[in-house]
Amino acid sequence: MMTGRNWRPAALVAVVVVGLIAPFFVQDTYLRHLCIIAFIYAMVAASWDLSLGYAGVFNFGHIAFFGVGIYATGLSAKLLGVDPWIALLLGGVAASAVAAVIALPVIRLQGVYVVLVTFAFSQLVLQVVLSQSQVTGGSQGMVRVPTLWLPGYNFLRDYKFGYYYVGFALLVATTLALRRIATSDFGVSIRAARDSEDYAISRGIPIGRQRLKVLAASAFFAGIAGGFYVLYLRVASPEVFDFSTVSLVLSMVLVGGTSSIYGPVFAALLLTFVSEGLSNVDGLGVGRFILVAVLMVAILLYLPKGLASIFARR
Amino acid sequence: MTAPDTAPPAAADTAPDTAPDIALDVRDLRAGYDASDVLEGICLQVARDERVGLFGPNGHGKSTLLNTISRVIRPRAGRVAFMGEEIGQLPAQTIVARGLVHVPQANRLFPDMQILETLELSAYTPRARAAKDETLDRVLQLFPRLAERRRQACKTLSGGERQMLSIGVGLMSAPRMLMLDEPTLGLSPKLKDELAEAIAAISATGIPLLLVEQDIAFTLSLVDRMYLIDHGAISREVGRSGGVDHQEIMEMYFGTGEGA
Amino acid sequence: MSLDVISAILVSGLVLGSVYALMASGLSLVWTTLGIFNFAHGAFMTVGAYIAWTASDQAGLGYGLAAGIALSVAVMIGLGIVLERVVVRPFYGQRDFLLITVMSTLAAMIVLQKGTQMIWGARLKQLAPIVPGKATLWRTTISAQETLIIVLAPIVLIALQLFLSRTRTGRGIRAVGQNPDAARLIGIDVSRLFYVTFALSAVLAALTGILLGSVRLLTPQFGDDPLVKALIIVIFGGLGSLNGTIVAAYAMGLVEAALTYAIGIYWTPSLIFLLLILVLLVRPQGLLGKVTR
């Protein structure tokens, strides 16, 4: 821990600098696209780590929060004509609000029932999207979502230059915010509640309310990520709710190591490139999901604390 | 209380090519949970016609010892032989099949199963199944209370009834030796007497006993010999020749102060 | 509401309920015995149906349906055992056992589902019905296969109950679920019964898949919807109780059929979920169940 303190800020500054100057060296549109997708997954994975890792809430509806962000931002920008920047924020707020509602039963439940209810919830969101096709586009997906804009700048220009920086800024802000939450008194108390519920109760920590807050916070960042996702791609289909998305992002959390925030971020960056790279290999378009799943089991078997444990030596 | 300086009788380094009259032979057994050893090299023997008590303060490894012998937990070192055969590496179910039966402390058994069902199921190994009907009659005779409640679920039983069922379950497994862990835990004096009688009756059929028990009077009424376990090792052995002396036990339990 | 409508709701509710009961009973069995929630259960159903299709269909090996069912059952026993060995057993006794196995069975589900897609392709397939033709129940005409589902499900479930309450292995499985240490101490080979349980639940899922595979179309996602429904059912019925699960499965089938008639297919899942949340707010342990196993 002590040694970690010393090099960590320097390493982070280095990473941020690399991220800032990278577009000047990477001119390839496809590589930039992968970077942007990786930023989005990193935000989803890191925010999932807050509820699943730090708080120990068996939240398996996180991808649905991401999806709520996608559709809330996309639909408000497209159908209601809300300014895309505000729609982006709406995505986060909507996901957070939905999480607070789902938290009401969840905080009263134990163990496997939390898994089941959150999972069932994610399927419900999918069903709603599919059934309200006149609004959401149903299984055909949502198309022609407005782009982000700034006065005098068109985001479609410059080979995704603008999206890269917005995505990067969102990721850095999300990561810092999540770290801030995780290391605050609040974060310490939710970790205490995770490790020993009895202890937390004896110390007067209101576990239910804490878990509700954690879910809402964790969903907020997933929703923002979803909002950015749809403003960037300008289309969205219900496929994001698929079990394979769940397992892909879950594997990022696991590979990176839970309760670290940084771990899932880096794992997401890495795995997005690996997974996308594999999808271009013949015959691995589907097979890459199998590889990711196998990797997930391997991590559970051999590195239960994720890759971060190798470096952090905690 | 000083560290155990009275070495147990058997030399620990000899291979357990045990004498034919030894039922259970434990040599240098080590086991524990997580990082720490609870058992720090236990040696003890039980002869085929013997009833042996195991006595000592709570938390010094009595239950761990029984759990290790029956392989509920894994030994870290040492050897266990039963009826002249090495069993230390066998899985729990094979040890039961060989006839070494462990009745654990405060066994809650199978909460939603009926008593009769539980007893029938407990004749699980082939040897036990062969004698099932006969043993069942004997168990129900020994504990008439269980016969009365045969259709009730285990979880509805009182503490005493559950102890009886636990021992009954042990008997159904066709033991060639029984290890009982605190059979009187939480029982009234009257029930203890009943249980003592039942255990005496069982051992009278020629089944050797290893009895872990906190109640001295209860233990003394049943055993020929006793070991004192202290900080995960056998610190003393009492009453090898002849009966167990009550005075000696009191000394053992309450310290060596006035006896030394 | 006319009698025709009531009849239609009852009949389609019974078909759904039977399918759900067969699915959910396997989930519940694995839960009570091993203490894990098996997310690959829906994929078992899919794979079981596809194997039967390959062995039976003319486009496959063409050996006929009986051979298909036999092969499917045989493979599923093996698959169940392999899965238990690879994604469940290594984690037994770990502190976060439940969470870890949720993730590992989810991974297994992805492997099976994507594997199905790679082997059999995304094109739709359909099994031949075990019994062809139509049948009329009360005032509603359905396919004979659906009638078979209604008749067969209770028989299978009763057989399962008898197996668990009367046979030595079945009683052993219940004992292991209630107290594994005590089970070991009466000589039960706990590891072996874990295999048996997993294989049994895989066969139950495959059977569901084979029965449903001629009513619905086979896709790699064939088992997803029944899995999600089974998931909701076990929340309602309580995972720990097989009887509660079966009752909840039939109740769910009937409610779904009635809601579909009343408000249409699109809003039904949402309403069921709303109902679920309301129930959980009042009874966190499910309508019929116990919290712990």
Side-chain angles (χ1 to χ4, degrees):
Chain A
M1 213 53 188
M2 287 313 287
T3 52
R5 286 260 161 76
N6 296 329
W7 58 263
R8 226 178 235 173
L12 284 175
V13 168
V15 169
V16 170
V17 168
V18 169
L20 283 176
I21 58 173
F24 294 99
F25 299 100
V26 180
Q27 303 289 344
D28 183 58
T29 324
Y30 178 63
L31 276 183
R32 282 192 188 164
H33 165 74
L34 283 191
C35 287
I36 297 168
I37 294 293
F39 296 159
I40 293 169
Y41 276 136
M43 288 164 72
V44 183
S47 58
W48 199 350
D49 190 21
L50 183 68
S51 50
L52 189 70
Y54 276 97
V57 178
F58 293 178
N59 161 27
F60 279 81
H62 202 67
I63 296 303
F65 298 146
F66 176 59
V68 168
I70 290 177
Y71 278 90
T73 300
L75 294 178
S76 60
K78 182 188 166 186
L79 298 181
L80 304 178
V82 175
D83 182 281
W85 292 101
I86 298 189
L88 179 64
L89 192 65
L90 275 182
V93 172
S96 206
V98 168
V101 172
I102 192 70
L104 288 179
V106 161
I107 57 175
R108 304 183 52 190
L109 298 174
Q110 296 274 322
V112 73
Y113 286 95
V114 176
V115 177
L116 300 183
V117 170
T118 51
F119 224 99
F121 158 74
S122 67
Q123 292 304 306
L124 170 85
V125 177
L126 171 63
Q127 292 293 339
V128 170
V129 167
L130 286 177
S131 62
Q132 301 310 303
S133 52
Q134 67 279 25
V135 180
T136 61
S139 56
Q140 301 297 309
M142 179 170 50
V143 291
R144 264 174 275 145
V145 176
T147 62
L148 281 176
W149 66 282
L150 282 173
Y153 180 77
N154 182 346
F155 267 81
L156 294 177
R157 280 174 38 213
D158 297 334
Y159 308 106
K160 306 179 191 294
F161 204 69
Y163 277 110
Y164 178 93
Y165 280 112
V166 173
F168 188 67
L170 284 176
L171 173 59
V172 171
T174 297
T175 309
L176 292 179
L178 287 168
R179 280 299 298 190
R180 187 70 185 260
I181 294 173
T183 51
S184 67
D185 288 350
F186 172 69
V188 171
S189 76
I190 56 172
R191 250 198 294 182
R194 173 196 69 186
D195 293 336
S196 167
E197 205 157 300
D198 295 339
Y199 169 80
I201 291 170
S202 73
R203 294 294 302 268
I205 298 174
I207 294 180
R209 208 170 345 134
Q210 302 282 64
R211 290 192 173 150
L212 188 145
K213 283 188 203 163
V214 159
L215 271 174
S218 144
F220 176 80
F221 296 104
I224 294 280
F228 180 65
Y229 175 90
V230 75
L231 290 173
Y232 166 60
L233 290 178
R234 306 187 63 206
V235 294
S237 82
E239 271 172 33
V240 292
F241 296 100
D242 195 62
F243 283 109
S244 39
T245 317
V246 175
S247 73
L248 179 66
V249 181
L250 191 58
S251 69
M252 292 166 180
V253 179
L254 288 178
V255 169
T258 52
S259 309
S260 63
I261 304 289
Y262 294 130
V265 168
F266 288 109
L269 300 180
L270 184 75
L271 279 176
T272 305
F273 278 90
V274 171
S275 163
E276 287 295 321
L278 287 174
S279 73
N280 296 327
V281 177
D282 264 357
L284 280 183
V286 175
R288 69 192 159 122
F289 290 107
I290 295 182
L291 293 179
V292 167
V294 170
L295 173 72
M296 203 159 117
V297 175
I299 290 281
L300 286 171
L301 279 173
Y302 303 111
L303 279 176
K305 284 187 175 153
L307 288 178
S309 60
I310 297 178
F311 304 110
R313 288 195 303 255
R314 274 180 300 172
Chain B
M1 198 175 286
T2 52
D5 47 4
T6 335
D13 51 352
T14 51
D17 49 346
T18 338
D21 59 331
I22 297 294
L24 181 70
D25 190 358
V26 175
R27 300 281 172 104
D28 240 357
L29 197 64
R30 287 175 182 275
Y33 307 92
D34 302 324
S36 61
D37 276 356
V38 176
L39 305 182
E40 300 178 340
I42 295 262
C43 298
L44 64 79
Q45 282 81 34
V46 179
R48 292 193 189 211
D49 58 352
E50 213 182 11
R51 300 170 296 185
V52 173
L54 194 62
F55 199 73
N58 275 331
H60 282 226
K62 301 186 302 286
S63 294
T64 308
L65 174 63
L66 296 200
N67 280 333
T68 312
I69 295 174
S70 62
R71 272 306 286 271
V72 171
I73 63 173
R74 222 176 259 274
R76 289 179 176 163
R79 315 174 72 165
V80 181
F82 178 62
M83 300 293 176
E85 287 174 64
E86 193 72 35
I87 60 164
Q89 299 307 314
L90 298 178
Q93 69 267 16
T94 315
I95 292 174
V96 178
R98 295 273 175 94
L100 179 56
V101 173
H102 173 195
V103 176
Q105 189 178 344
N107 194 354
R108 39 168 213 108
L109 286 160
F110 313 114
D112 292 325
M113 275 188 151
Q114 291 172 6
I115 290 166
L116 189 63
E117 220 180 354
T118 306
L119 288 171
E120 284 173 356
L121 177 68
S122 304
Y124 197 84
T125 66
R127 216 165 42 80
R129 245 180 309 155
K132 182 168 147 188
D133 296 340
E134 209 178 300
T135 326
L136 186 62
D137 285 347
R138 219 177 90 222
V139 168
L140 294 180
Q141 221 167 17
L142 205 55
F143 303 112
R145 216 182 286 242
L146 295 182
E148 288 164 26
R149 323 213 151 171
R150 61 179 77 196
R151 294 285 168 209
Q152 272 178 241
C154 292
K155 64 181 171 197
T156 64
L157 295 182
S158 70
E161 290 160 350
R162 195 144 48 199
Q163 273 312 342
M164 292 172 183
L165 181 59
S166 295
I167 295 173
V169 159
L171 288 177
M172 290 305 294
S173 308
R176 293 160 75 201
M177 172 172 170
L178 264 180
M179 302 191 290
L180 303 179
D181 195 350
E182 305 263 4
T184 70
L185 197 72
L187 297 195
S188 69
K190 183 173 165 288
L191 276 174
K192 278 186 191 179
D193 289 347
E194 273 183 58
L195 204 63
E197 257 173 60
I199 294 174
I202 292 164
S203 104
T205 61
I207 298 177
L209 272 185
L210 181 59
L211 176 67
V212 169
E213 183 52 61
Q214 292 282 31
D215 184 323
I216 301 180
F218 183 88
T219 314
L220 286 179
S221 71
L222 283 170
V223 305
D224 311 312
R225 187 161 65 88
M226 286 185 69
Y227 288 105
L228 176 70
I229 191 166
D230 183 21
H231 290 92
I234 300 291
S235 66
R236 272 182 83 173
E237 188 193 340
V238 202
R240 192 162 183 74
S241 51
V244 175
D245 178 8
H246 192 268
Q247 179 65 37
E248 220 174 335
I249 297 292
M250 298 314 271
E251 227 169 74
M252 195 163 117
Y253 197 50
F254 297 109
T256 45
E258 77 263 348
Chain C
M1 213 190 295
S2 73
L3 281 180
D4 284 348
V5 170
I6 295 176
S7 164
I9 289 175
L10 279 181
V11 168
S12 73
L14 276 179
V15 174
L16 287 173
S18 305
V19 169
Y20 297 160
L22 286 175
M23 277 296 277
S25 60
L27 275 177
S28 168
L29 185 64
V30 165
W31 170 260
T32 45
T33 312
L34 287 93
I36 71 154
F37 187 87
N38 178 22
F39 270 98
H41 198 64
F44 277 159
M45 175 177 162
T46 311
V47 172
Y50 268 99
I51 290 171
W53 179 87
T54 295
S56 64
D57 200 87
Q58 287 308 317
L61 302 173
Y63 292 141
L65 203 56
I69 295 171
L71 182 71
S72 176
V73 167
V75 172
M76 293 317 286
I77 289 173
L79 194 59
I81 289 173
V82 168
L83 216 71
E84 199 277 338
R85 180 72 191 81
V86 176
V87 300
V88 181
R89 181 151 310 183
F91 307 112
Y92 212 76
Q94 285 190 13
R95 187 171 166 263
D96 292 325
F97 180 63
L98 172 65
L99 184 60
I100 291 172
T101 50
V102 163
M103 301 195 269
S104 64
T105 58
L106 193 65
M109 176 216 168
I110 296 293
V111 170
L112 290 178
Q113 194 182 74
K114 299 295 173 185
T116 303
Q117 194 175 335
M118 285 177 82
I119 295 171
W120 285 285
R123 241 184 57 224
L124 303 175
K125 297 182 172 41
Q126 193 160 31
L127 273 167
I130 297 173
V131 279
K134 304 244 168 239
T136 302
L137 289 184
W138 192 17
R139 287 161 172 258
T140 310
T141 301
I142 51 173
S143 69
Q145 177 82 4
E146 285 170 297
T147 316
L148 180 71
I149 294 176
I150 294 179
V151 176
L152 212 54
I155 294 176
V156 171
L157 294 170
I158 288 169
L160 179 65
Q161 288 285 17
L162 287 177
F163 167 73
L164 291 173
S165 61
R166 299 288 161 82
T167 69
R168 179 164 159 269
T169 306
R171 284 177 171 181
I173 287 174
R174 281 164 57 220
V176 167
Q178 292 173 31
N179 191 344
D181 277 344
R184 271 185 197 99
L185 289 179
I186 59 173
I188 293 179
D189 184 345
V190 173
S191 307
R192 199 184 128 257
L193 292 195
F194 279 174
Y195 282 146
V196 173
T197 306
F198 231 82
L200 186 61
S201 100
V203 168
L204 278 170
L207 206 63
T208 319
I210 292 168
L211 286 171
L212 202 60
S214 69
V215 180
R216 295 186 188 170
L217 294 167
L218 291 185
T219 68
Q221 287 80 35
F222 178 61
D224 286 10
D225 176 62
L227 174 74
V228 172
K229 292 288 163 53
L231 203 125
I232 295 176
I233 285 160
V234 294
I235 306 174
F236 271 119
L239 258 175
S241 136
L242 187 56
N243 288 330
T245 302
I246 291 170
V247 171
Y250 279 101
M252 169 92 153
L254 290 169
V255 167
E256 193 181 333
L259 281 178
T260 306
Y261 172 79
I263 60 171
I265 195 164
Y266 289 130
W267 281 111
T268 299
S270 316
L271 214 68
I272 287 177
F273 188 76
L274 200 68
L275 207 62
L276 179 73
I277 292 201
L278 289 178
V279 165
L280 286 175
L281 283 175
V282 184
R283 279 183 64 87
Q285 69 276 46
L287 262 189
L288 309 155
K290 298 165 284 183
V291 175
T292 48
R293 81 181 170 111

